[in-house]
Amino acid sequence: MKKALTLLIVFLMLVGLVQTVGASTPGQLLIWADDTRTPVLEDVKGQFEEEYGVSVIIQEKPFGDIRDDLAIEAPAGEGPDIIVGAHDWMGELIANGLIEEITLFSEDKFMNAGIEAFSWGEELYGVPYAIEAVGLFYNKDIIDEAPATFEEFKELVINLRNSDKADYGFVMPQPDPYHSFPFFSGFGGYVFGTDANGVLNPLDIGLNNEGSVRALSELAKLYDGYIPNVDYPTMMSIFTAGDAAMMLTGPWAVADIRAAGIDYGFTSLPTMDGNEPRPFVGVQGFMVSSFSENKILSQLFLNDFVANEDVMYRFYEIDDRPPTFIPAGERASEDPDTAGVLASAEFAVPMPAITEMAAVWSAWEDAISLSLTQEQDAQEALDNAVQQILRTIEEGM
């Protein structure tokens, strides 16, 4: 097998000598990555080049351009072999035949949430490397520890309102489906169900099931005088001023909280009826182009030179996003903020990666707004939202 692989690589190299660089070329790997990931890949590529005698070119691109450029350039024969991207690009990329299935040799060393995010049915389409999810910040000068159950959470929110310790027990941005989803999932709600093959079913919407209605009803009760209905900047102002005991958001807020001198902790939301809340998780990783001339080499590079503790930890050192590779995550968890994000992400749900998700956000946001302002009860607001989402999806099918 090793001999056959070596012969294949030599053949690809010979073919590559008469090809141009700047597109996937047999025997020469081309990787599209943004400026954050490029330095680590530049360090890694030398080991691959030395071992296999195959050159690796890292082409730097703005992260936001990679998906659109792949869609245009790959079918024209001008795309790369490997891209860095987000898991929620996957539905569009698979639907357009742009990315390839991947065999990951060390799948058991990755967090389930990372593997799940890059899975489509039974197949894996990416090597996850970084993960992020919202969690609960709490001010240690106001409360000693975060609540363990939703009942404890409610009691704190009610008792701390206008107390001598704080103005508010809890703040989060609204109307905001992304931040609200952990409450929905904790009580049994979901966005899309799955079909018999494990693929998301856009016509199975769980935003008005019993759990979703319970979640929005519970929030609406607390927003009736106990939680302020504020946007993200105002939420941050309240928490960094020391006027709230708890805040729900992601690790991107850490720098501002530290700058404000808040003595904080970061952990997951409390259980709800005994269930772990499941926030949306965003995962970034590496994908192989379906138009690659080097699919075997690409998988070798990712499996042998990227999916290991040292390289995954180096990505973390540069980017601060917690690693999904478990050994690297354990090293990174010496930082309590990273440990908190990984704990919150452990039960997280990947952001739905199908294009029909675009039909969900606005209608869901309207339902949250109408309910939290007490203009509609949760059942009515969510029923209307789901009807609107289904109508939009069916019109587009």
Side-chain angles (χ1 to χ4, degrees):
M1 179 65 185
K2 182 79 172 179
K3 183 178 179 181
L5 181 59
T6 302
L7 289 173
L8 173 62
I9 291 171
V10 170
F11 171 74
L12 292 174
M13 289 175 63
L14 290 173
V15 175
L17 291 176
V18 297
Q19 300 283 338
T20 58
V21 176
S24 176
T25 302
Q28 189 170 53
L29 279 186
L30 175 62
I31 302 174
W32 284 359
D34 64 346
D35 57 350
T36 303
R37 267 61 68 136
T38 293
V40 177
L41 294 171
E42 287 285 359
D43 289 343
V44 170
K45 74 174 191 178
Q47 304 166 30
F48 185 80
E49 289 173 336
E50 182 177 350
E51 184 163 337
Y52 288 99
V54 172
S55 64
V56 179
I57 298 173
I58 316 297
Q59 185 174 355
E60 189 174 306
K61 281 179 170 285
F63 188 80
D65 290 349
I66 291 176
R67 174 177 49 180
D68 293 342
D69 287 354
L70 182 74
I72 296 170
E73 297 182 32
E78 299 174 352
D81 299 293
I82 297 171
I83 63 168
V84 172
H87 87 273
D88 56 351
W89 300 358
M90 197 172 56
E92 180 180 337
L93 297 181
I94 292 173
N96 292 322
L98 294 172
I99 56 173
E100 194 75 4
E101 297 167 16
I102 284 178
T103 299
L104 187 54
F105 301 155
S106 55
E107 187 171 320
D108 60 339
K109 292 185 177 179
F110 286 82
M111 292 177 64
N112 288 335
I115 295 297
E116 187 180 349
F118 275 102
S119 295
W120 193 265
E122 298 296 323
E123 306 298 338
L124 185 68
Y125 280 86
V127 178
Y129 90 89
I131 196 165
E132 62 184 12
V134 300
L136 190 69
F137 288 93
Y138 61 98
N139 187 326
K140 294 180 179 178
D141 291 331
I142 301 175
I143 57 176
D144 295 330
E145 58 185 12
T149 67
F150 186 73
E151 294 306 315
E152 293 176 10
F153 171 83
K154 278 200 304 186
E155 186 177 346
L156 273 175
V157 170
I158 292 169
N159 291 340
L160 286 171
R161 178 74 173 105
N162 288 328
S163 69
D164 58 357
K165 293 183 176 180
D167 291 340
Y168 301 102
F170 176 71
V171 286
M172 64 184 288
Q174 291 293 4
D176 189 326
Y178 176 80
H179 279 80
S180 299
F181 184 66
F183 292 95
F184 281 69
S185 62
F187 283 112
Y190 61 90
V191 179
F192 296 123
T194 55
D195 62 20
N197 297 317
V199 176
L200 291 174
N201 178 0
L203 299 181
D204 177 5
I205 299 174
L207 290 177
N208 63 340
N209 71 3
E210 183 178 350
S212 291
V213 172
R214 167 83 187 282
L216 191 53
S217 297
E218 292 283 2
L219 283 174
K221 292 174 188 173
L222 293 174
Y223 271 83
D224 191 11
Y226 299 102
I227 301 177
N229 197 343
V230 296
D231 59 14
Y232 185 90
T234 307
M235 172 197 74
M236 287 298 298
S237 297
I238 293 172
F239 191 78
T240 56
D243 293 331
M246 299 176 285
M247 175 177 73
L248 178 66
T249 194
W252 48 85
V254 166
D256 288 339
I257 296 170
R258 286 177 175 168
I262 300 294
D263 183 12
Y264 69 95
F266 184 71
T267 186
S268 52
L269 276 168
T271 58
M272 299 168 191
D273 289 346
N275 302 317
E276 295 286 349
R278 305 187 69 191
F280 280 136
V281 66
V283 184
Q284 296 190 352
F286 298 89
M287 293 170 268
V288 175
S289 169
S290 294
F291 295 89
S292 168
E293 300 285 354
N294 304 290
K295 292 172 183 172
I296 294 174
L297 288 172
S298 297
Q299 298 222 23
L300 274 175
F301 180 79
L302 294 176
N303 273 293
D304 292 350
F305 293 85
V306 173
N308 62 69
E309 179 180 342
D310 288 341
V311 172
M312 291 294 186
Y313 189 77
R314 285 164 67 190
F315 281 123
Y316 164 74
E317 288 181 308
I318 287 179
D319 192 29
D320 277 342
R321 287 185 172 88
T324 63
F325 194 73
I326 294 171
E330 290 172 349
R331 282 173 66 184
S333 292
E334 293 178 4
D335 181 316
D337 294 330
T338 299
V341 175
L342 289 173
S344 185
E346 183 177 358
F347 300 100
V349 178
M351 183 93 72
I354 56 177
T355 55
E356 288 84 354
M357 190 64 190
V360 172
W361 295 112
S362 178
W364 190 6
E365 181 178 307
D366 289 345
I368 291 172
S369 178
L370 289 168
S371 182
L372 298 189
T373 55
Q374 319 299 318
E375 294 177 61
Q376 284 185 356
D377 66 37
Q379 184 75 68
E380 180 183 7
L382 291 171
D383 283 347
N384 291 338
V386 170
Q387 289 174 14
Q388 180 180 336
I389 294 166
L390 283 171
R391 189 163 54 246
T392 302
I393 291 174
E394 289 169 347
E395 287 173 353
M397 295 177 73

